[in-house]
Amino acid sequence: MASPNGGDDFESSLLSFEKLDRASPDLWPEQLPGVADFAASCKNPITNSPPKWMAELEREDIEMLKELGSLTTANLMEKVKGLQNLAYQLGLEESREMTRGKFLNILERPKK
């Protein structure tokens, strides 16, 4: 039968009084690269300037982003399917035009 203090002795034997220096990058490397930079940027006060990725967008691009962002999942999937169909149709049309150009010999290089 164990003594009533046996549990306390066992728990106290598991304690470690070792001090770890958490400031060392070698001991505690950044687990996900870029997280520290992102966290630091979140601490900065919000400015009125747009993010870097939005700097090159035109007004029409921003309106398109807002429109796509307001769509439901089903509507967004429908839009994606429509774009896929459009891309397929454009590919077919391009193929026809390339074949036509080949038959008309307009794509040949001039002979020197």
Side-chain angles (χ1 to χ4, degrees):
M1 197 173 196
S3 69
N5 292 339
D8 292 338
D9 291 338
F10 178 71
E11 286 180 16
S12 64
S13 71
L14 294 177
L15 291 177
S16 172
F17 298 103
E18 183 180 0
K19 300 291 183 199
L20 298 176
D21 181 15
R22 291 186 179 266
S24 171
D26 295 331
L27 290 176
W28 305 97
E30 190 175 13
Q31 301 244 337
L32 298 172
V35 171
D37 295 333
F38 177 75
S41 71
C42 289
K43 291 180 183 178
N44 294 338
I46 297 175
T47 61
N48 291 336
S49 62
K52 292 177 186 176
W53 61 269
M54 283 188 70
E56 296 179 10
L57 295 179
E58 296 177 2
R59 196 174 114 260
E60 293 140 1
D61 298 331
I62 294 171
E63 289 174 8
M64 177 64 76
L65 282 173
K66 288 178 182 177
E67 177 188 336
L68 292 174
S70 67
L71 294 176
T72 64
T73 304
N75 290 344
L76 188 59
M77 291 302 296
E78 188 176 320
K79 185 83 165 174
V80 168
K81 286 178 185 176
L83 289 172
Q84 288 174 333
N85 289 337
L86 180 61
Y88 180 75
Q89 293 298 326
L90 286 173
L92 289 177
E93 185 177 335
E94 180 181 17
S95 176
R96 282 192 300 269
E97 293 298 321
M98 291 298 289
T99 303
R100 184 174 172 222
K102 182 179 175 184
F103 288 139
L104 294 173
N105 293 325
I106 61 172
L107 298 177
E108 283 186 7
R109 292 183 181 176
K111 296 179 182 176
K112 292 182 181 182

